[in-house]
Each structure stands twice: as structure tokens, then as C-alpha cells.
């Protein structure tokens, strides 16, 4: 009836207008909605009355919103009303309708060339009101990600027109318009990508430079009123950060513009500094003392926030340029000028000066200098160190001033940042000053442990100092800094030259210091769960240094007899060969321990993951390099090793060493991975591990899905060292290609020299602590509660001899981070028991100790158990095993039994399940069941959950 009324010519305009508005309410099914829409569409095409048309367009937009299949037709209709001579009222209605349809989601919104051209044409209208400009820009901003780069409206000429409009908008009194338009421009320039590259290089570069200038101008426009009014507006800062992210995306797409971006950022910082200088100066005469101080403090806070945001941007920008190989001398000079400009400006406080000066310790800049030193005669390793030393002097001066002004909390944050950048002199100095100011015992212990860590790492850093003219040493002596007690550790002869340091002694001293740091935290505990990550990481770092010291000791022992190696003297060397293989085994297991700590730290940041994965890669490299002699065919040592049983060890075979290393390199260094495969092939073992294509079979070590594959500056030095080591072993194989036994002594000599070179090169790589070390929080993990299926008591779990153990289990998650980015969806657990796990019935004291479980670094089986669980879960999720078998037990040799259990977590983080454990062959006695659990998040990442209580004890007997 309503449709008929609208189509009758004799219906009055007022009634037709009311009917058009009611039309949107029709449609309880698709057929009715579609019929109403088609009727309304005919009325639109036949009508010329504006108010009637406006009402119809609004109603049709509402109808199409109900049925997504109509949206495409409605968008085409609306875009036709943006072209030609239409009133502002009509255009405003169309824009509101388009904006309304976008609520449904851009994926349902068709993006055609006609629509984009109509929106561009609307923007080009000089009489368009600012509110309509803003709405047009918002629509463009939302639909651009879904536009095809092949649309003719995205051609460079159209882009140039839009750029001109944007430059006019940059002076708009409404900053939001310029903000949206710049985002639109940046999105288009990224989409044009290859198209712009095919244009004249000069022309494309000119367009990009105009876009970059617009972004910086918009940042200035946003900041100007903020600086003027000395007000902190979170929305403005969010927009500034959004524009910085936009610049970062542009640099990623066009890395050749990196120098220009950094140059413009320098100008922006200078503008901020000059603006504040001018404002404070002009207001000085009009304000009283207290009021002026308040203005200055507000101004300081604003400046600090801005500069810190820019600092984060610069690090990310340099990382991007480094990945693309476009971090040139020009780029470095821009950063240097910016840092020096800020540090010389009295308007920025000493905290900002300290943080900015620490940029010179940034791994990206340090790595850039090292790479440059390989290509030029001007820089070498000593000159790089000299450069860093000079900059550390600047950082120490800034930190000293900050502490004198009693900026204690900013000083602590600066000390954290210094440790994360490897500026150990600065970190030690800051924390040594702060420890005298704390009143809490726990805070005192925490700072003391960090000082012990920093002092130990500084010992290693002193090994990197140039042999002559250490500016840092002279400055420390002159200023009588507390860190000057290390000066005596650099021995000098009567001529003033530094003697060659004793690497073993210095590393041993660093090892002892890190052990002391862990012991300091142990003594501060009220339970077993405080500082869990910190103690674990310190233990692993100390263990790495201790193993390295043992390796140097064995190497030095053999170095003495190298010149006496012959057919008979070779036996003398072989006596210590098993020790090399044992050290190799220790390094391989240590690599897996670093993997475990990384996957056990839910919510860990990317920088910390990179640092830990680099340490794991280092251990894997040392395991491979220390076992180099296994890869030389027909070496007489091979029979000796086999006879003593080392070759049969799970952790010591040549295949295992290569598998562990290649599993880490396969996705990030294909050439080195192929060379590793070739080494395995030449060494005549496991030839079937190679496909014809050179790919590895699944026998190689699986890596956790959340292992970062991105090659960062932190890992580049290690990757370079891996390439050097693998190439060296390939050279040893080449030297012994003829299998000439007379050549074996020389091959051994070359191999030992290669090993020493690898150790020395690794020591040259500056260590940086993970940021996560400073995130002191309760240990994230789980607790397991178990009891017999036929009883509710968990105090007495028993089973008759020869029977399976049936258990009811509850797994409880504990201390999950509140800011966890992903949701946990699956929980898995492994129960693991050996005949050798037999123990006496626990006393009350033992039960109290068991409440906290065993520390991860004290549990020799945890790495193996976690690896079994990881393989099971990976196979389950890749459908390599039947899903129905997940609760069934499995059995191994050597008196080992284990069972996998799957839990569905509820909202409280609890999961319930039952399982069978086949201990039917266990003799009468009491046995501890060890366990480990893990979870899978909604992004498919594997996370290990540390056991926060001891496993149950089961009694086999009557």
C-alpha cells in the first residue's frame, strides 16, 4: 500500500515525503526489503524534488544496510550524486549515507574508481565546508586499504592533484582535516609503490618528499597550540605518534627517503626547542616567580614526551633502514646531529640528554660502524670502540647531572635503558648512586643484584677497550667515579701500553659476579616465586660464561702440545678430545634452556625475545664449533670417541649438533643452512636427511612458533659469526678431502685456531640485557592437583603392583599477565616418571618445600620433558597424530613412562581431565611424578607453563 501511494502522481508532496521516510522501516525478510529497495530506486530516478530525493536516499541507505547484497548498488547510486552540479545539502546527505554504510565494515563496501573520483572531486570544491571536508577524508581514509593499486584514480597525476589540495589544507584552521588528508596521501603513496618507481625517479622522489614535508608540517601544526598553552592533551600526542608511525611506514616502503625523514625530524625538534625558548622568554616579564616555575615545569614535561616519542621513532626507523641496507653515513650523521642538538639544548632536561646520548650505544648504530669499518681504512674495530667510549663519557656526564638534581626515578629508568643498550659503565654508575637512596630491603637487594650484573658485564666490556688512549679510563680517573675501581683490571706495562688481557680470568670473574647477583636475590626471597625470571636468566648467563671458561681452559691445554702433534703425539691430544665433545653437549643443552626461558615468559617483549634467542643461537653455534672435529672424515679421533660412548649420546652426535643449529638458521640464513647440510653430507652420516632439492626432512629440531624469524641488529652479528664458523668447517673438510692421515695434525691445528677465533669474535659482540629482566612480576605458571580416580584425597595416591595408575587432574593457571595480547585457548600437560624417581615418603618439612616446586634451573629433566610436550602438541596441531590419542599413555624404554593430557580452560584458568599412567612394571615403592604443562594462544603460539608445585608422589604396593 505504501509503495502504491508513493508511485501515484496525485499524492501530495508532504505525504510522499513522509512515505519516503517510512520506507526505511519496511523489510522483515530479504524479498520484502529487496522489493522496497527496488521501488525506492525507481522513485529516485524519476524524481527531481530535492527534499524528496534526500529522504529517499536516506531510506534506501537504511534498507541496504539491512541486506549487504544491496550495499554495492546503493554505493554506486550515492556516488552519482557527488558528481555534477549538486547542492551542498545533497552532498552532505550523500556523505552521511556513505559514512553510515561504512559502519557495516569496509569489507562489505565496494570501492570503485567512480566513487574515489567523486570523493576527490568533492574535496577539490573550494566552497566545501570544513565539516564536509572532514567527513570526505574520513571515508577515504577508511576505504583506502581496500582499494586496488590498479584503479585509474590512483595514477600519479591524480595523486599530484590531491597533494596540492593537501598543501592547501595544511593551513586549515581545523587541524583534523589536515590530519586525515595526510593519512590518505600516505596510504595512496604506499599503494602507488611500484607505479611511482616507473615514473621519472626525480618526479617520484619529489612527490614523496612533499608528502614527508606535509607530515612534519602537520606534526608542527598539532604541537604549536600545545606548546603555546602548556597543556597536555593526550589526543594530540596520540595524533603525533600516529604521524610518526605513518613516517615509519613510508620509510619502510621507500627506504631511500630515510635521510630526508631524519633531517625533517631534526628540524621538528629544533622547532620545539626554539618555540619553548621564545615562549618562556616572552612570558618571563609578565609572570611572577612561582607561576613562571609552573609554566617551565609543564613545558619540560611536554618537551620530554615529544622527544621520547621521537627517540622511539628514530630507533625503529634505523632498524628499518638497517634491514633494507640503506643505513648510510648520511643517515648516521643525521642521527648524530639530532642527538648533539638535543644534548646541547638547556631546555631539555638531563633525563632526555641521558636517553638521547644512549642512542649512540644502539645496536643499529654500533653495527653500522662495524660494517663501515670493514669497508674503509678510516674505521677499524678499535676506532669503533673508541667512538663508543667517547659517547659513553657524554652519557656519564648527563647521568651525573641527573643524579645531582635528584631525578631518582628518571635515573632508574635511564639505568634500565643503559643496561638494555649495553652501556655498562653508565648502568653501574647510576645504580651505585641509587642504592644509597633506597630504604626498602627488597629494593636494596634488587639494586645490589643489578649492580653485580652490571659490574660483571663491565669486566667483559673492558676486554673490548682499545689498547691505547682510552678516553673513558682517563675521564673516570679524572672525575673519580665509583666505576674507576675497574681501572686496575687493565694491566699496563712501564711504557703505558696495555698488556693482552687474560680472557679466562676476566670471564671467570664475570661468572662469579653474576652468580653473586643471583645469590643476592635468593637471600631476599620470602617464597620461591619472587624474581623467578631474573634468577633463571642470571643462572643461564652465568652458566654460559662458565662453560666458555672451561672451553678456553681445555683449548689452552691443547695449544701447548699443538706443535708436538704427530702420529704418536696425536694420541696425546685425543685424551682431551672427549672433553671437547662434552663441552659441545653442554652448549647444545644450554641453547635449549634459553629456548625454554623464552617460551616460559608469557607477554615477553620483542627486544627481550631477540636478546634471548641470540644467546640460544650463540650456544648452538658454540656446540657446533666445539664439536668441529666430528665433521672431518676419517679422523682417527672418531674411533676413540665412539669407543668411549660419547658419540652415542643424544646430545653429542654430529647430526644433532647440525640439526640444532640449522633449525635456527633455516628461515633466516639459507646459504649458511645449505652449507651445514653439505657438512653433514660430506661427513657421511644421515645422508637421507637431504631431499634432492636440498631441503631438510622433519627429523631436524622443531622451533617454537613464537620464535622470531625477523633478522634484527641483535642477531646480525651472531649470524655473521655463524657464517664464518660454518665456512671454516667447510674449509677443514676441503683440506682433508684426500683423507690423508699425514694432514690430520694440520687439520686439528687449523680447527683449534678456528675455534679460538670464533670465541674471540663472540666476545667482541656487546651483551645487552633483556628489558624483561626489569619487569619484576610474579612467576607465570601452573599448578597441578592430582588424586586417585576412586578417591578424593590427594595426600595418598597409591596403586597395586602390576596395575595402571588412574588419576583425576586439575590444572590451575597462576599469575597470568593482565596485559597478555592473546587469549589462551588450549592447555596440555605431560606426566613423566622413571623407576629412578623412587624416593622415601615425604615428611611434613618436605611437603612444605614441595609446595613451591623445583626451580626450572634445578630440574635436569625439564628441558627434555618440555621438548617431548612441544613435539606432541606440534604433531597434534599439524594432524600428524590422531586427535583421539591425546589422552592415551605412551611408553619408553629404560623404565620411563609418560602420558599426555589435554585440558579445556574455563574462565578461571582451570582445566579438569583424567589419565592413565602405565607404571605396572614399577617395583614396590614410592615414586615422584614429574610434570610440565603448556598452552596455545589464539594466534597459534606455543607457551611453556612452569610448574609452580611439585608433582604428586605415588605409592606402588598394598
Amino acid at each position: 500500500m505504501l509503495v502504491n501511494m508513493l508511485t501515484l502522481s496525485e499524492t501530495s508532496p508532504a505525504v510522499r515525503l513522509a512515505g519516503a521516510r517510512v520506507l526505511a522501516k519496511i523489510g522483515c525478510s530479504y524479498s520484502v526489503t529487496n522489493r522496497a529497495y527496488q521501488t525506492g530506486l525507481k522513485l529516485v530516478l524519476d524524481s527531481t524534488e530535492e527534499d524528496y530525493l534526500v529522504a529517499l536516499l536516506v531510506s534506501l541507505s537504511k534498507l541496504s544496510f539491512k541486506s549487504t547484497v544491496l550495499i554495492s548498488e546503493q554505493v554506486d547510486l550515492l556516488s552519482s550524486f557527488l558528481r555534477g552540479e549538486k547542492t551542498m545539502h545533497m552532498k552532505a546527505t550523500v556523505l552521511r549515507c556513505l559514512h553510515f554504510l561504512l559502519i557495516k565494515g569496509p569489507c562489505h563496501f565496494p570501492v570503485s574508481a567512480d566513487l574515489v573520483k567523486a570523493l576527490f572531486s568533492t574535496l577539490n570544491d573550494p566552497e566545501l565546508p570544513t565539516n564536509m571536508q572532514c567527513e570526505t577524508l574520513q571515508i577515504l581514509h577508511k576505504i583506502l586499504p581496500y582499494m586496488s593499486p590498479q584503479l585509474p584514480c590512483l595514477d600519479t597525476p591524480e595523486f599530484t592533484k590531491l597533494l596540492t589540495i593537501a598543501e592547501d589544507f595544511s593551513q586549515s584552521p581545523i587541524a583534523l582535516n589536515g590530519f586525515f588528508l595526510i593519512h590518505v596521501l600516505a596510504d595512496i603513496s604506499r599503494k602507488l609503490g611500484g607505479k611511482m618507481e616507473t615514473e621519472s625517479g626525480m618526479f617520484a622522489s619529489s612527490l614523496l618528499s612533499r608528502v614527508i614535508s606535509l607530515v612534519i608540517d602537520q606534526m608542527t601544526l598539532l604541537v604549536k597550540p600545545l606548546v603555546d598553552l602548556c597543556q597536555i592533551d593526550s589526543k594530540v600526542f596520540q595524533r603525533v605518534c600516529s604521524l610518526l608511525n605513518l613516517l615509519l611506514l613510508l620509510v619502510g616502503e621507500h627506504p631511500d627517503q630515510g635521510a630526508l625523514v631524519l633531517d625533517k625530524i631534526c628540524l621538528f625538534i629544533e622547532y620545539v626547542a626554539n618555540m619553548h625558548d621564545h615562549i618562556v622568554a616572552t612570558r618571563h616579564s609578565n609572570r611572577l616567580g612561582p607561576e613562571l616555575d609552573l609554566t617551565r615545569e609543564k613545558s619540560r614535561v611536554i618537551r620530554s614526551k615529544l622527544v621520547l616519542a621521537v627517540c622511539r621513532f628514530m630507533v625503529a626507523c634505523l632498524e628499518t633502514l638497517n634491514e633494507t641496507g640503506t643505513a648510510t653515513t648520511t643517515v648516521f650523521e643525521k642521527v648524530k646531529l639530532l642527538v648533539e642538538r638535543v644534548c646541547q639544548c638547556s631546555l631539555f632536561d638531563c633525563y632526555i640528554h641521558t636517553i638521547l646520548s644512549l642512542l649512540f650505544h644502539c645496536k643499529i648504530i654500533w653495527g653500522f660502524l662495524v660494517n663501515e669499518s670493514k669497508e674503509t681504512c678510516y674505521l677499524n674495530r678499535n676506532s669503533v670502540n673508541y667512538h663508543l667510549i667517547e659517547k659513553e663519557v657524554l652519557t656519564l656526564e648527563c647521568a651525573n647531572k641527573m643524579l645531582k638534581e635528584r631525578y631518582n626515578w628518571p635515573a632508574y629508568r635511564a639505568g634500565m635503558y643503559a643496561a638494555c643498550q649495553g652501556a655498562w659503565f653508565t648502568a653501574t654508575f647510576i645504580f651505585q648512586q641509587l642504592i644509597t637512596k633506597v630504604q626498602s630491603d627488597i629494593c636494596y637487594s634488587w639494586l645490589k643484584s643489578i649492580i653485580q650484573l652490571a659490574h660483571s658485564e663491565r669486566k667483559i666490556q673492558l676486554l673490548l677497550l682499545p689498547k691505547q688512549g682510552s678516553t673513558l679510563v682517563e675521564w673516570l680517573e679524572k672525575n673519580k667515579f665509583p666505576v674507576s675501581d675497574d681501572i686496575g683490571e687493565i694491566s699496563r706495562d712501564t711504557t703505558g701500553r696495555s698488556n693482552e688481557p687474560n680472557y679466562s680470568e676476566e670471564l671467570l670473574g664475570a661468572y662469579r659476579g653474576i652468580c653473586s647477583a643471583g645469590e643476592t636475590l635468593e637471600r631476599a626471597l620470602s617464597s620461591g616465586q619472587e624474581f623467578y625470571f631474573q634468577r633463571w636468566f642470571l643462572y643461564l648467563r652465568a652458566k654460559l660464561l662458565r662453560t666458555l671458561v672451561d672451553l678456553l681452559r681445555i683449548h689452552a691445554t691443547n695449544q701447548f702440545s699443538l706443535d708436538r702433534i704427530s702420529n704418536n703425539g696425536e694420541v696425546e691430544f685425543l685424551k682431551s678430545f672427549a672433553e671437547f665433545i662434552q663441552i659441545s653437549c653442554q652448549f647444545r643443552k644450554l641453547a635449549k634452556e634459553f629456548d625454554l626461558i623464552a617460551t616460559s615468559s608469557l607477554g615477553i617483549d620483542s627486544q627481550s625475545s631477540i636478546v634471548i634467542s641470540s644467546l640460544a643461537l650463540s650456544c648452538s653455534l658454540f656446540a657446533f664449533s666445539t664439536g668441529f672435529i666430528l665433521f672431518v672424515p676419517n679422523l682417527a679421533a672418531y674411533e676413540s670417541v665412539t669407543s668411549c660412548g660419547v658419540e652415542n649420546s643424544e646430545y653429542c652426535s654430529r647430526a644433532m649438533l647440525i640439526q640444532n643449529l640449522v633449525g635456527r638458521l633455516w628461515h633466516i640464513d639459507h646459504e649458511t643452512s645449505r652449507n651445514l647440510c653439505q657438512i653433514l653430507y660430506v661427513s657421511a652420516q644421515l645422508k637421507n636427511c637431504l631431499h634432492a632439492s636440498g631441503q631438510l626432512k622433519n627429523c631436524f629440531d622443531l622451533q617454537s612458533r613464537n620464535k622470531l624469524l625477523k633478522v634484527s641488529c641483535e642477531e646480525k652479528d651472531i649470524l655473521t659469526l655463524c657464517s664464518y664458523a660454518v665456512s671454516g668447517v667447510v674449509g677443514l673438510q676441503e683440506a682433508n678431502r684426500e683423507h690423508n692421515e699425514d694432514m690430520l695434525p694440520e687439520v686439528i691445528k687449523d680447527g683449534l685456531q678456528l675455534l679460538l677465533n670464533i670465541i674471540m669474535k663472540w666476545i667482541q659482540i656487546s651483551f645487552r640485557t633483556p628489558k624483561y629482566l626489569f619487569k619484576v612480576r610474579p612467576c607465570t605458571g601452573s599448578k597441578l592437583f592430582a588424586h586417585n580416580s576412586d578417591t578424593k584425597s590427594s595426600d595418598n595416591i597409591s596403586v597395586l603392583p602390576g596395575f595402571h595408575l588412574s588419576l583425576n587432574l586439575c590444572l590451575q593457571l597462576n599469575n597470568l599477565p593482565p596485559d597478555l595480547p592473546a587469549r589462551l585457548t588450549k592447555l596440555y600437560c605431560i606426566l613423566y616418571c622413571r623407576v629412578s624417581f623412587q624416593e622415601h615418603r615425604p615428611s611434613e618439612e618436605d611437603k612444605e618445600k614441595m609446595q613451591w616446586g623445583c626451580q626450572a634451573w634445578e630440574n635436569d629433566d625439564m628441558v627434555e620433558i618440555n621438548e617431548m610436550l612441544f613435539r606432541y602438541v606440534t604433531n597434534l596441531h599439524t594432524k600428524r597424530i590422531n586427535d583421539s590419542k591425546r589422552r592415551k599413555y605412551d611408553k619408553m624404554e629404560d623404565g620411563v613412562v609418560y602420558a599426555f593430557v589435554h585440558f579445556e580452560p574455563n574462565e578461571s584458568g582451570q582445566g579438569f581431565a583424567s589419565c592413565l599412567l602405565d607404571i605396572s612394571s614399577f617395583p614396590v615403592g614410592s615414586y615422584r611424578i614429574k610434570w610440565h604443562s603448556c598452552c596455545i594462544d589464539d594466534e597459534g603460539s606455543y607457551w611453556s607453563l612452569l610448574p609452580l608445585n611439585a608433582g604428586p608422589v605415588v605409592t606402588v604396593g598394598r
Side-chain angles (χ1 to χ4, degrees):
M1 183 172 127
L2 176 63
V3 172
N4 293 333
M5 181 184 67
L6 290 173
T7 55
L8 292 174
S9 57
E10 59 267 20
T11 304
S12 68
V15 173
R16 292 176 64 194
L17 182 61
R21 289 169 179 163
V22 174
L23 184 66
K25 299 180 180 179
I26 294 179
C28 55
S29 65
Y30 168 73
S31 59
V32 175
T33 301
N34 185 56
R35 185 181 169 214
Y37 180 84
Q38 296 303 326
T39 300
L41 185 60
K42 291 178 182 178
L43 294 173
V44 168
L45 298 177
D46 295 338
S47 178
T48 57
E49 185 183 343
E50 182 171 306
D51 288 344
Y52 185 49
L53 278 172
V54 166
L56 283 171
L57 289 176
V58 170
S59 292
L60 290 177
S61 296
K62 291 179 179 179
L63 282 172
S64 59
F65 188 84
K66 296 177 181 178
S67 178
T68 54
V69 295
L70 299 174
I71 289 180
S72 178
E73 192 172 359
Q74 180 64 11
V75 169
D76 289 340
L77 175 66
L78 291 171
S79 62
S80 67
F81 279 88
L82 285 177
R83 297 189 297 270
E85 297 297 329
K86 297 293 188 297
T87 66
M88 287 299 170
H89 178 55
M90 176 64 73
K91 288 185 177 181
T93 301
V94 170
L95 290 174
R96 284 198 303 272
C97 289
L98 288 170
H99 202 272
F100 170 73
L101 291 176
L102 272 170
I103 297 174
K104 194 76 170 179
C107 56
H108 299 290
F109 196 96
V111 182
S112 63
D114 289 339
L115 173 62
V116 178
K117 283 184 177 180
L119 291 171
F120 282 174
S121 174
T122 303
L123 276 178
N124 209 14
D125 187 346
E127 298 180 0
L128 194 70
T130 53
N131 63 320
M132 291 176 63
Q133 289 175 349
C134 187
E135 197 153 27
T136 306
L137 290 169
Q138 285 179 320
I139 294 169
L140 276 170
H141 186 216
K142 287 183 178 180
I143 67 174
L144 270 172
Y146 300 88
M147 290 170 60
S148 168
Q150 307 306 319
L151 286 178
C153 56
L154 288 184
D155 285 340
T156 305
E158 293 292 336
F159 178 75
T160 307
K161 292 178 184 177
L162 189 60
L163 187 55
T164 303
I165 296 172
E167 288 169 339
D168 294 336
F169 268 36
S170 64
Q171 306 304 319
S172 169
I174 300 181
L176 193 60
N177 286 358
F179 176 77
F180 279 122
L181 183 51
I182 286 170
H183 271 277
V184 169
L185 278 171
D187 287 342
I188 293 176
S189 64
R190 290 172 56 216
K191 278 196 169 288
L192 281 172
K195 278 190 173 184
M196 293 185 70
E197 295 299 326
T198 60
E199 302 284 345
S200 166
M202 185 68 70
F203 179 67
S205 178
S206 173
L207 289 179
L208 285 170
S209 64
R210 287 170 66 185
V211 174
I212 291 167
S213 296
L214 275 173
V215 175
I216 300 294
D217 290 345
Q218 184 65 28
M219 287 170 56
T220 304
L221 194 65
L222 286 169
V223 167
K224 186 175 180 179
L226 182 69
V227 172
D228 248 343
L229 300 174
C230 288
Q231 294 175 341
I232 299 176
D233 187 338
S234 60
K235 289 185 178 179
V236 170
F237 275 111
Q238 287 176 6
R239 288 174 187 163
V240 170
C241 292
S242 175
L243 291 171
L244 287 172
N245 289 334
L246 202 59
L247 283 176
L248 192 60
L249 291 173
L250 287 172
V251 170
E253 295 288 337
H254 308 281
D256 56 307
Q257 299 293 314
L260 174 64
V261 169
L262 291 173
D263 189 46
K264 295 289 187 182
I265 287 292
C266 288
L267 294 176
F268 172 72
I269 291 297
E270 286 191 11
Y271 168 80
V272 173
N274 293 335
M275 171 63 76
H276 278 274
D277 196 10
H278 172 72
I279 290 169
V280 173
T282 54
R283 293 179 178 177
H284 185 276
S285 58
N286 299 325
R287 291 184 182 271
L288 299 176
E291 189 178 359
L292 179 61
D293 290 341
L294 180 61
T295 300
R296 283 176 172 168
E297 179 60 22
K298 288 182 177 180
S299 184
R300 184 191 67 79
V301 171
I302 294 170
R303 289 194 307 269
S304 298
K305 292 184 71 174
L306 284 173
V307 174
L308 287 176
V310 170
C311 181
R312 287 191 293 268
F313 162 78
M314 285 173 56
V315 172
C317 182
L318 288 170
E319 181 76 48
T320 300
L321 295 177
N322 181 73
E323 289 174 12
T324 56
T326 53
T328 62
T329 305
T330 305
V331 169
F332 172 71
E333 288 299 324
K334 299 295 182 186
V335 176
K336 182 180 176 183
L337 286 173
L338 175 59
V339 174
E340 290 175 349
R341 171 71 179 93
V342 172
C343 291
Q344 291 168 3
C345 180
S346 60
L347 293 172
F348 297 103
D349 61 31
C350 46
Y351 172 67
I352 294 298
H353 291 171
T354 306
I355 296 298
L356 264 290
S357 65
L358 283 169
L359 266 182
F360 287 112
H361 292 271
C362 179
K363 189 73 174 178
I364 305 162
I365 296 178
W366 188 83
F368 167 72
L369 285 174
V370 171
N371 291 334
E372 287 288 300
S373 69
K374 297 174 184 176
E375 301 172 3
T376 65
C377 299
Y378 176 71
L379 286 174
N380 53 40
R381 173 68 70 170
N382 279 348
S383 64
V384 171
N385 289 329
Y386 191 82
H387 161 82
L388 292 176
I389 289 163
E390 282 187 318
K391 300 309 175 187
E392 183 120 37
V393 169
L394 172 63
T395 306
L396 282 167
E397 289 174 337
C398 296
N400 191 28
K401 183 180 178 183
M402 177 169 49
L403 287 161
K404 284 181 178 179
E405 294 181 10
R406 298 182 180 181
Y407 288 166
N408 294 332
W409 180 241
Y412 177 78
R413 295 201 305 269
M416 288 171 47
Y417 189 65
C420 294
Q421 293 297 328
W424 293 109
F425 286 90
T426 300
T428 306
F429 167 66
I430 290 176
F431 292 128
Q432 280 181 334
Q433 297 297 301
L434 290 176
I435 198 171
T436 62
K437 304 177 187 297
V438 298
Q439 298 178 355
S440 163
D441 290 340
I442 194 74
C443 291
Y444 180 88
S445 297
W446 167 241
L447 286 179
K448 183 180 178 180
S449 70
I450 294 299
I451 291 170
Q452 290 169 322
L453 170 65
H455 180 85
S456 301
E457 295 300 338
R458 194 180 59 206
K459 283 178 178 288
I460 301 174
Q461 196 172 54
L462 279 167
L463 298 173
L464 310 180
L465 289 175
K467 292 186 177 181
Q468 299 179 22
S470 173
T471 304
L472 179 58
V473 169
E474 294 170 0
W475 189 87
L476 293 173
E477 289 175 334
K478 178 181 176 182
N479 291 273
K480 298 180 181 180
F481 265 59
V483 293
S484 60
D485 61 332
D486 280 333
I487 303 304
E489 298 174 17
I490 306 178
S491 58
R492 299 179 184 275
D493 59 22
T494 55
T495 63
R497 296 174 301 180
S498 296
N499 293 326
E500 189 68 26
N502 187 324
Y503 284 87
S504 292
E505 287 299 321
E506 297 301 329
L507 290 174
L508 185 60
Y511 157 76
R512 289 169 178 161
I514 296 175
C515 287
S516 298
E519 291 167 1
T520 299
L521 293 179
E522 289 280 356
R523 290 191 292 269
L525 301 180
S526 59
S527 69
Q529 304 306 322
E530 292 96 343
F531 299 113
Y532 199 102
F533 174 87
Q534 289 74 17
R535 290 182 290 139
W536 192 2
F537 181 80
L538 290 172
Y539 169 83
L540 294 181
R541 175 66 178 169
K543 189 175 180 181
L544 170 56
L545 296 180
R546 175 77 246 192
T547 311
L548 199 58
V549 169
D550 292 341
L551 178 57
L552 284 171
R553 175 184 56 79
I554 298 170
H555 189 282
T557 301
N558 285 277
Q559 191 77 23
F560 177 75
S561 59
L562 279 180
D563 293 333
R564 297 186 291 134
I565 287 182
S566 61
N567 288 336
N568 294 326
E570 189 177 332
V571 177
E572 193 173 327
F573 165 76
L574 294 180
K575 292 178 181 178
S576 61
F577 179 72
E579 291 184 90
F580 277 103
I581 301 305
Q582 190 61 42
I583 293 291
S584 177
C585 296
Q586 292 174 20
F587 274 124
R588 182 177 181 273
K589 186 176 180 182
L590 186 55
K592 292 182 175 291
E593 290 183 75
F594 275 114
D595 290 338
L596 181 58
I597 192 175
T599 57
S600 300
S601 306
L602 274 80
I604 192 170
D605 58 280
S606 59
Q607 183 268 354
S608 300
S609 292
I610 289 170
V611 170
I612 295 175
S613 66
S614 295
L615 288 170
L617 181 58
S618 298
C619 292
S620 186
L621 170 63
F622 280 133
F624 166 79
S625 304
T626 308
F628 75 91
I629 211 162
L630 289 174
F631 308 115
V632 180
N634 288 356
L635 200 60
Y638 180 75
E639 293 183 6
S640 173
V641 175
T642 305
S643 63
C644 70
V646 177
E647 173 66 19
N648 296 324
S649 168
E650 178 188 356
Y651 285 99
C652 300
S653 72
R654 63 183 72 174
M656 286 292 182
L657 295 180
I658 290 183
Q659 287 168 14
N660 186 267
L661 184 56
V662 85
R664 301 174 190 278
L665 298 176
W666 190 253
H667 294 286
I668 54 179
D669 191 339
H670 297 295
E671 183 178 355
T672 303
S673 299
R674 284 193 295 268
N675 287 338
L676 281 167
C677 295
Q678 185 61 27
I679 290 172
L680 185 59
Y681 183 87
V682 172
S683 60
Q685 185 176 2
L686 293 183
K687 293 183 182 179
N688 65 333
C689 283
L690 298 174
H691 284 301
S693 62
Q695 296 285 330
L696 294 176
K697 284 186 177 179
N698 290 327
C699 63
F700 284 94
D701 285 353
L702 294 166
Q703 297 299 313
S704 175
R705 288 194 215 177
N706 48 322
K707 168 75 173 72
L708 296 178
L709 300 179
K710 179 181 175 182
V711 182
S712 67
C713 285
E714 299 286 344
E715 289 187 318
K716 269 196 171 181
D717 289 334
I718 306 294
L719 292 176
T720 302
L721 190 52
C722 287
S723 178
Y724 169 81
V726 173
S727 299
V729 173
V730 170
L732 293 177
Q733 287 188 331
E734 291 289 333
N736 196 39
R737 182 178 291 276
E738 301 299 326
H739 300 179
N740 187 347
E741 291 189 5
D742 294 335
M743 289 291 296
L744 292 182
E746 291 300 321
V747 172
I748 293 174
K749 285 183 185 180
D750 294 342
L752 289 174
Q753 185 59 49
L754 172 66
L755 179 58
L756 183 61
N757 292 344
I758 292 168
I759 295 172
M760 293 299 106
K761 288 177 181 293
W762 183 82
I763 291 175
Q764 292 286 325
I765 300 173
S766 179
F767 169 71
R768 295 153 205 277
T769 192
K771 287 166 57 178
Y772 201 74
L773 189 76
F774 292 93
K775 202 165 188 177
V776 180
R777 59 168 36 166
C779 175
T780 300
S782 61
K783 290 184 178 181
L784 182 69
F785 303 95
H787 57 81
N788 280 110
S789 298
D790 56 353
T791 178
K792 294 183 179 180
S793 173
S794 59
D795 294 332
N796 185 19
I797 300 176
S798 61
V799 65
L800 294 174
F803 284 83
H804 288 55
L805 176 65
S806 177
L807 293 173
N808 287 336
L809 303 172
C810 171
L811 191 69
Q812 172 69 62
L813 298 178
N814 285 75
N815 306 324
L816 284 180
D819 55 348
L820 197 64
R823 184 176 59 87
L824 304 184
T825 57
K826 302 285 185 181
L827 294 176
Y828 297 93
C829 178
I830 178 175
L831 303 182
Y832 181 92
C833 194
R834 294 174 181 265
V835 174
S836 60
F837 289 176
Q838 187 170 2
E839 60 180 50
H840 60 81
R841 287 183 178 271
S843 63
E844 291 301 319
E845 183 180 352
D846 292 334
K847 288 181 180 180
E848 186 175 347
K849 290 181 180 179
M850 290 182 331
Q851 179 183 357
W852 303 111
C854 181
Q855 310 295 358
W857 53 94
E858 297 173 351
N859 189 342
D860 293 334
D861 297 303
M862 185 170 289
V863 170
E864 179 186 354
I865 296 174
N866 175 68
E867 191 167 330
M868 291 170 62
L869 182 59
F870 174 69
R871 288 180 180 276
Y872 169 79
V873 172
T874 303
N875 289 338
L876 190 66
H877 281 258
T878 54
K879 305 302 181 183
R880 291 180 190 160
I881 59 177
N882 193 325
D883 189 70
S884 64
K885 295 181 180 179
R886 64 173 66 175
R887 284 189 173 87
K888 292 188 177 181
Y889 69 89
D890 203 345
K891 193 171 183 178
M892 293 176 59
E893 298 176 356
D894 302 325
V896 176
V897 295
Y898 60 88
F900 297 106
V901 190
H902 172 224
F903 300 87
E904 293 289 346
N906 58 25
E907 293 181 356
S908 302
Q910 289 180 327
F912 298 90
S914 60
C915 79
L916 283 175
L917 192 65
D918 182 8
I919 57 173
S920 57
S921 60
F922 280 30
V924 173
S926 295
Y927 301 89
R928 171 76 60 190
I929 298 176
K930 294 188 177 182
W931 66 281
H932 197 78
S933 61
C934 72
C935 59
I936 307 296
D937 63 26
D938 54 6
E939 296 176 357
S941 295
Y942 174 96
W943 296 100
S944 171
L945 295 169
L946 294 174
L948 300 182
N949 64 345
V953 174
V954 57
T955 300
V956 177
R958 297 186 183 277

